[in-house]
Every structure is written in C-alpha cells, then in structure tokens.
Amino acid sequence: MKRTFLLPLILLAMQSCAQKTDLNLVVGTYTKPGGSEGIYVYNFNTATGDFKQKGLAKGVENPSYLAVSADNKFVYSVNESGKASSVSAFAFGGIKGDLKFLNKQPSGEDPCYIISDGKHVISANYSGGNISVFGIKPDGSLSALKQTIQHSGKSINKDRQNSPHVHMVQFTPDHKFVVVNDLGTDKVYLYKYNASAAADVLTPQDSVAVEAGSGPRHIVFSNDGRYAYLINEMFASITVFSYNDGSLEQMQETKITADGFNGENGAADIHISPDGKFLYASNRGSENKITIFAIEKGGLLSRRGMVSTGGKGPRNFIIDPTGKYLLVGHQYDNNIVIFERDASSGALKDTGKRINVGSPVCLAFAQVK
C-alpha cells in the first residue's frame, strides 16, 4: 500500500522538476511565401538548451514584434504592413503552446515594438512616427484605439531622419512613465503613464536629446532601476543614463564596435543578464557581432569582449531567465543561434544548436502553464 501511495507523488515531483526547466519560446517573424508562416512557439529546456516546436499561429501578417502578458495568458503582436498596419491579440495556451486569435485593431504605420501591462497595449510605430495606445478588455482582446501621440521633427541624416521614427516604447522600472525612443529626431521622450485614464493615458513629462545622427533604438534599465542603457542604431553606440523619477541624465557614451571599425553599422538590440552583471549589445550591418560589457559600480560600462553571432542580421536576442543561454535571431539567415553563457565572465560559446525558422525578428520567453 505504501509503495502504491508513494508512486504518484514521485511521478508528480519528477514532472514538477521537468516543468521548472522548460519554457515557451515565442518567436515573431516576417511572413513570406516559402518562409515564415506566422508566430512560432517552441519548448526550450533551460538545463540543456534543447528545443522542440509545439505551436504555430498561421495567417498572421508580419508579427515582427511581440509582448507576452505577465500572467502568460495572452500574446500581443504588431502586424507591420505600411498604412494597413495593425495590432493583434491572442489567447495563449502555455501547456500546448497554442495561440487563439482574439481580435486586431488598426495602428499607426509600421509598428515595430509593443508592450503590455494588463491594462494597456502600447505600440511604437516607426513609419508613422507615432505611438498608439489600446485598452485591454476582460477577455484579453484589444479595445478601440484610446490615444495616438504624434511626434514631429527631424535630424541631420537626410536619408533616414527627415521625419520622426518611433522605434521603441518601454515602461520605466517604477511603472510611472513610458520611455519612447525616436530614431528620426534623435530624442528620448518620457511620458507620464496614467493607467486609469479614460483618454490621455500618456502625457508629456520630459525629453532628452542624444548625439545628432546617432539614431536611438532600444533601451534597457539596470536591475535596480537606477541606470538606463540606450543603444543607438546608426552610430552603434550606447548612451548610459542615470534614472530618477521620470528624469534621465547622461553619464557615459561608448561604442559597441571594435577600435578602427569603419564598416556598415546597424546596432539592434540590448539586454542585461539576469544577475545584472553584464550587458550585451548586437550590431548588424557588415559586423554581425555581439559586444559584451561588464556593468561596473556606479552603472558605467567596461568592454569585455566581442563574438560573432554566427549569422546575418542579428535583429533581436534574448537571455533565458536562468542566465545560462543567449539566443540570437538572424533575420536574413532564417535561424536562431543558441549560445551558452559563462556567468562569471559573461563570455558566450556557440553550442552549435540552431532553430530553423523564417525571418525571426523577436524572441520572447513565457512560462509553461
């Protein structure tokens, strides 16, 4: 009797341990005939780096950026399609990895980033040079557009900065503000976030100008919320700020390229390791590398090394929550390269493992539940 009673408990414990090492990897793509078919979901094992496809939402046009809700029940996607662009909502079944389309709403032109906090979905619209704010209904679907904020202005690069190009929206760590990077105007804007407002969800707070022609793209905050790190696409540089209650103050400017590099830049993504000790930044163009920085006392960066991403167009990358693996999505080589990360040095080692998927441009982890 005792053995019969213990066996289910042992099996349940084994299953629980297995689930703790498994995550859902949700991949946004550019869709095209013979390439990507939509949004892909993979099981990813954080102990081994192994993976297996488990879900696919077909017929979703250019879901090039995604946001997974905090409770892992919903996925929100941009649909990058010029003047016909939109934002879509999906119910997400984490165990099976299935995505059920709920609805979509028109957005600004060519949305390229999206965030959600359970109350609102906010998109950064690159070609439109504006921000779209949507409410979230009780079933997770999107309300009609609540607010549009249009940027104006330009900067010195006549080919790429003749108009505003909003490239990212991001909540500040205190969740009181939304940071907006505008590549076209070389400015970082801060808006007060009025979560309970019926109309003016975002109201202007402040703006910070960066070096003319640099092209601010993505920003990430330190784990303690005291510092912010902005990657500038066209200069392949990082601007370090101190952050305090809706205000950014510049502290440092550093390049992610090697000394003497004069090739084509295309700085893309920036992330901090879960332990807060290292920062990683990717450059596309003719380099296709990730630069590794240590985050020193006081938030300043010191370069520790560079590594080839193993492909072309490292548009987006992600570090798994355990900090063991870093995954790089290559837009032009149609794969995701899996690196193992040394926690003590921050160094990256190619595992040789590849996820073959068409035009991956956004990687997001979600719990299996």
Side-chain angles (χ1 to χ4, degrees):
M1 288 291 291
K2 186 177 287 186
R3 288 182 179 176
T4 304
F5 176 73
L6 287 175
L7 184 59
L9 293 179
I10 293 170
L11 291 174
L12 185 63
M14 290 173 64
Q15 183 180 15
S16 177
C17 288
Q19 288 177 344
K20 287 180 180 178
T21 62
D22 290 325
L23 291 173
N24 285 315
L25 174 65
V26 190
V27 181
T29 67
Y30 280 120
T31 51
K32 57 184 177 182
S36 167
E37 295 184 275
I39 303 173
Y40 293 77
V41 182
Y42 297 86
N43 186 88
F44 184 81
N45 188 292
T46 60
T48 64
D50 293 332
F51 57 89
K52 183 179 180 180
Q53 186 179 334
K54 61 190 291 189
L56 169 60
K58 295 184 178 181
V60 186
E61 185 179 12
N62 292 332
S64 60
Y65 223 90
L66 311 169
V68 180
S69 65
D71 60 8
N72 292 276
K73 292 182 178 180
F74 305 99
V75 171
Y76 299 97
S77 163
V78 305
N79 304 113
E80 192 176 339
S81 186
K83 295 186 183 300
S85 294
S86 58
V87 171
S88 295
F90 300 84
F92 182 48
I95 295 176
K96 293 183 178 180
D98 57 313
L99 290 160
K100 179 184 177 183
F101 176 74
L102 296 175
N103 74 332
K104 67 178 180 179
Q105 298 287 359
S107 69
E109 191 173 349
D110 293 324
C112 60
Y113 208 97
I114 189 169
I115 56 175
S116 169
D117 69 343
K119 294 183 178 180
H120 294 97
V121 168
I122 305 173
S123 69
N125 309 312
Y126 183 84
S127 298
N130 51 36
I131 308 155
S132 298
V133 182
F134 306 88
I136 300 176
K137 297 180 181 179
D139 65 353
S141 63
L142 298 165
S143 77
L145 184 68
K146 290 181 70 171
Q147 185 181 17
T148 298
I149 296 177
Q150 181 65 51
H151 283 186
S152 61
K154 57 185 178 179
S155 193
I156 63 172
N157 188 313
K158 293 182 180 179
D159 293 329
R160 299 196 58 190
Q161 296 181 309
N162 269 340
S163 62
H165 294 302
V166 177
H167 219 311
M168 186 189 200
V169 286
Q170 186 63 272
F171 291 111
T172 56
D174 54 24
H175 212 73
K176 293 163 59 178
F177 305 93
V178 170
V179 181
V180 181
N181 302 328
D182 195 319
L183 180 145
T185 64
D186 282 322
K187 286 186 178 180
V188 177
Y189 298 83
L190 291 105
Y191 291 90
K192 184 173 174 55
Y193 179 52
N194 309 298
S196 301
D200 293 330
V201 177
L202 300 179
T203 52
Q205 168 74 13
D206 197 5
S207 67
V208 179
V210 296
E211 190 173 357
S214 60
R217 182 180 171 94
H218 285 184
I219 197 167
V220 65
F221 286 85
S222 61
N223 290 5
D224 62 9
R226 296 173 59 192
Y227 307 103
Y229 303 88
L230 171 73
I231 191 165
N232 300 296
E233 179 173 335
M234 295 188 293
F235 280 6
S237 62
I238 296 174
T239 307
V240 182
F241 299 94
S242 62
Y243 172 74
N244 181 44
D245 196 26
S247 177
L248 293 169
E249 184 174 343
Q250 186 171 334
M251 297 167 51
Q252 182 187 16
E253 190 85 18
T254 185
K255 291 280 189 179
I256 68 172
T257 52
D259 293 341
F261 175 77
N262 58 5
E264 179 188 353
N265 282 323
D269 207 7
I270 186 167
H271 292 285
I272 292 174
S273 58
D275 61 11
K277 295 180 179 179
F278 296 95
L279 180 144
Y280 300 81
S282 66
N283 194 18
R284 297 166 296 174
S286 57
E287 192 164 47
N288 296 300
K289 290 182 179 179
I290 284 183
T291 305
I292 305 161
F293 295 90
I295 301 177
E296 307 290 357
K297 187 176 181 180
L300 300 180
L301 299 177
S302 62
R303 187 186 300 182
R304 293 299 175 89
M306 300 177 71
V307 63
S308 169
T309 63
K312 295 179 180 179
R315 173 80 172 265
N316 183 230
F317 67 91
I318 193 170
I319 304 171
D320 87 83
T322 72
K324 186 175 181 180
Y325 294 101
L326 185 149
L327 287 67
V328 185
H330 291 106
Q331 180 179 347
Y332 305 123
D333 278 350
N334 304 311
N335 67 20
I336 298 170
V337 173
I338 301 174
F339 289 89
E340 191 166 2
R341 199 182 71 88
D342 186 301
S344 60
S345 68
L348 301 175
K349 180 182 178 181
D350 190 344
T351 64
K353 296 177 181 180
R354 305 287 189 270
I355 302 174
N356 295 314
V357 58
S359 299
V361 289
C362 181
L363 313 178
F365 280 116
Q367 296 296 319
V368 179
K369 64 179 181 178

